[in-house]
Amino acid sequence: MTDGFTPVYASSDGLPVRLEAAARRAADGSAYTHHRLVVSDGRAGAVIVARDADRLLLVLSAREAAGAELWELPRGAGEAGETAVETALRELREETGLRGRDPQVLGTYVTDSSIFPQEVAVVECRIDQDAPATVPDGEVSDRRWLPLAELAHAVQDGTIRDAHTLAAIAVLSSRGEL
């Protein structure tokens, strides 16, 4: 199937976002317009599973689209020329001031295969206790370490409800890490 998508809307104010549309046919032959959202020019993103012994690092981020602050794993979009690991370590440092070490890609997922086809890598790292912390960029309002033993409860009670964080937890769980 050819791509056939054309831009409908684009904004480069902040994170580049583009809405694209393409004519498509459903299985029954009816015609429809399919839309997709392209963020950061389609570059992959990363979710960071930062660990300290038996704890995971969570950050509190204002999510205007959801109208709430959400506890989530640090994450972000890739910059031009970055690998998933480079994106993860940069985002961790920018959001928390902490430096990661021994990064490892645990897996990937697609944000929303229907309209938001961005690939996201789940990168695990340890916190480098010897590296001096830097000043975070102000993107997150708080951070906390969550014991792994409390992770399931935090998902069940809605403390963790961010889709990227839930997907990363699923990847981590599939590896027998939880």
Side-chain angles (χ1 to χ4, degrees):
M1 172 166 68
T2 32
D3 193 62
F5 281 91
T6 57
V8 175
Y9 170 82
S11 174
S12 58
D13 182 23
L15 190 65
V17 175
R18 187 172 63 248
L19 180 64
E20 299 177 338
R24 295 289 189 251
R25 292 225 173 262
D28 68 2
S30 60
Y32 71 98
T33 301
H34 186 81
H35 292 88
R36 72 179 178 194
L37 187 62
V38 179
V39 175
S40 195
D41 296 323
R43 292 188 293 269
V47 175
I48 303 90
V49 178
R51 294 181 71 164
D52 177 38
D54 64 344
R55 303 181 306 165
L56 296 181
L57 180 64
L58 296 177
V59 295
L60 186 61
S61 298
R63 296 298 177 197
E64 296 299 326
E69 282 193 310
L70 300 176
W71 283 105
E72 54 194 37
L73 295 170
R75 70 165 193 254
E79 293 183 354
E82 274 186 332
T83 66
V85 166
E86 290 167 337
T87 297
L89 294 176
R90 176 183 51 76
E91 288 290 339
L92 176 66
R93 188 176 59 258
E94 287 176 0
E95 292 184 6
T96 69
L98 301 173
R99 293 197 184 273
R101 64 174 177 81
D102 306 324
Q104 174 186 353
V105 176
L106 301 180
T108 61
Y109 63 91
V110 176
T111 303
D112 177 342
S113 57
S114 294
I115 62 168
F116 190 20
Q118 184 178 24
E119 186 165 300
V120 179
V122 179
V123 179
E124 181 183 51
C125 71
R126 306 284 182 217
I127 297 300
D128 186 347
Q129 302 294 344
D130 296 328
T134 59
V135 176
D137 64 6
E139 186 177 335
V140 302
S141 60
D142 200 2
R143 70 178 194 207
R144 75 178 192 191
W145 287 98
L146 180 72
L148 287 174
E150 296 176 21
L151 184 60
H153 182 70
V155 171
Q156 291 167 357
D157 73 8
T159 298
I160 296 175
R161 58 191 180 111
D162 165 67
H164 286 287
T165 300
L166 294 170
I169 290 169
V171 170
L172 189 63
S173 179
S174 74
R175 298 176 58 86
E177 300 284 330
L178 301 177

